[in-house]
Amino acid sequence: MKKMLIAGNWKMNMTPSESINLVQSIIDGTKDKKISCDILVCPPFTSIDSVSRTVKGTNILYGAQNCHFESKGAYTGEISIPMLKELGCKYIIIGHSERRTYFFENDELINKKVKAVLGAGINLILCIGETLREREENRTFEVLKRQIEIGLNRVQPEQCIQIVIAYEPVWAIGTGISAEPEQIQEVHSFIKTELVRVLGKRASSIIVLYGGSVTDENAKSILELEDVHGGLIGGASLKTDIFLSIVDTAISILEK
Ligand code: PEP
């Protein structure tokens, strides 16, 4: 049976009190429904504690958008995995393109974080994706191959159950221009093959999300693709109605 994860990346939005309101509206909108997909919200660090208290007793999962690979030490301004673990985070997003671009995170640094997250027993959403230039130069598959090979270097096959991949073409993030369904299916199929090549057959259970300008309008055509197992939703995850409509779409696809 198909599994589906709908994950909201709130980015640098929402104060703690705003976060409580947003997550409460998601709880209210889902509480009378049979929710067959997983729902995850990733607020900023400063809101994780408030969100954790608000979702207590519900099925809404919460996680973080980044972490440091060391468990403690002199790294001013950074947040460690044990700190997030103690707050009950179930997932950590690693390698988002905004971190790669604005904070110069390369595949080697991302691999250190990947190994640290997995070693701590937390689930990982590893973001990969090509820039517009790389796509135009026909380098999409080469870039994804490198991001997978280096990003997952020295990951153990038994850790596959903790891994989620998010394919996020950089040119589709926050632009309102989503990739076309054919492009998405082609890339997801390639990613799944690469994961098995790098990690062995246990990797066939790794789910691959699509991210990049997903809205209530295009969610159906994306989520119903064979190798798409959910979405990483940025801007639309801040608008309860749209986020809930994407969740409803996922549920109706799973019920088919
Ligand atoms: C994201 O931040 O991961 C993302 C996909 O953003 P958006 O949905 O706004 O394109």
Side-chain angles (χ1 to χ4, degrees), residues 42-239:
C42 296
F45 291 133
T46 44
S47 292
I48 293 175
D49 190 38
S50 318
V51 165
S52 78
R53 291 169 201 274
T54 314
V55 300
K56 206 166 183 179
T58 75
N59 289 329
I60 311 288
L61 304 166
Y62 59 93
Q65 302 170 17
N66 180 34
C67 64
H68 197 279
F69 58 86
E70 293 289 358
S71 56
K72 61 178 175 179
Y75 299 99
T76 302
E78 291 292 312
I79 300 288
S80 77
I81 298 164
M83 294 169 187
L84 298 170
K85 198 171 177 178
E86 192 169 313
L87 289 178
C89 288
K90 290 284 176 287
Y91 285 85
I92 304 180
I93 299 172
I94 298 293
H96 191 281
S97 74
E98 287 151 16
R99 298 224 47 97
R100 292 179 191 254
T101 305
Y102 304 135
F103 302 97
F104 313 108
E105 293 197 7
N106 60 24
D107 291 313
E108 286 73 18
L109 173 64
I110 287 164
N111 177 245
K112 286 187 184 177
K113 296 187 181 196
V114 163
K115 286 184 293 188
V117 171
L118 296 175
I122 297 188
N123 298 320
L124 170 86
I125 300 182
L126 173 62
C127 300
I128 58 176
E130 81 286 1
T131 62
L132 184 57
R133 186 171 181 171
E134 289 162 343
R135 178 162 278 270
E136 286 173 349
E137 291 173 352
N138 283 325
R139 292 176 51 225
T140 299
F141 294 133
E142 170 199 322
V143 169
L144 295 169
K145 186 168 179 284
R146 187 201 71 225
Q147 291 173 335
I148 291 170
E149 271 176 4
I150 304 178
L152 296 176
N153 187 29
R154 292 180 187 245
V155 166
Q156 303 306 311
E158 59 272 20
Q159 294 176 315
C160 286
I161 48 167
Q162 293 168 253
I163 302 173
V164 171
I165 302 290
Y167 168 55
E168 301 207 300
V170 179
W171 47 273
I173 297 178
T175 58
I177 304 165
S178 164
E180 291 300 324
E182 304 74 45
Q183 294 173 316
I184 299 171
Q185 175 54 35
E186 182 188 35
V187 169
H188 278 230
S189 166
F190 172 81
I191 291 171
K192 291 191 77 128
T193 307
E194 275 304 291
L195 289 170
V196 172
R197 186 182 65 77
V198 170
L199 290 173
K201 61 178 188 302
R202 289 202 204 187
S204 56
S205 63
I206 296 178
I207 67 168
V208 186
L209 314 180
Y210 168 77
S213 297
V214 177
T215 66
D216 49 343
E217 282 166 19
N218 59 19
K220 183 170 181 297
S221 64
I222 295 171
L223 297 178
E224 70 188 2
L225 295 168
E226 186 185 345
D227 291 321
V228 174
H229 290 260
L232 183 53
I233 321 292
S237 70
L238 301 172
K239 299 177 190 122

Side-chain angles (χ1 to χ4, degrees), residues 7-65:
N9 171 17
W10 294 1
K11 311 194 189 202
M12 196 177 71
N13 295 292
M14 302 288 145
T15 65
S17 59
E18 289 167 345
S19 299
I20 292 173
N21 291 339
L22 178 56
V23 80
Q24 186 61 53
S25 67
I26 296 170
I27 295 168
D28 293 343
T30 51
K31 68 170 184 258
D32 298 325
K33 293 182 187 158
K34 189 169 169 287
I35 306 292
S36 45
C37 63
D38 286 334
I39 304 174
L40 169 72
V41 294
C42 296
F45 291 133
T46 44
S47 292
I48 293 175
D49 190 38
S50 318
V51 165
S52 78
R53 291 169 201 274
T54 314
V55 300
K56 206 166 183 179
T58 75
N59 289 329
I60 311 288
L61 304 166
Y62 59 93
Q65 302 170 17

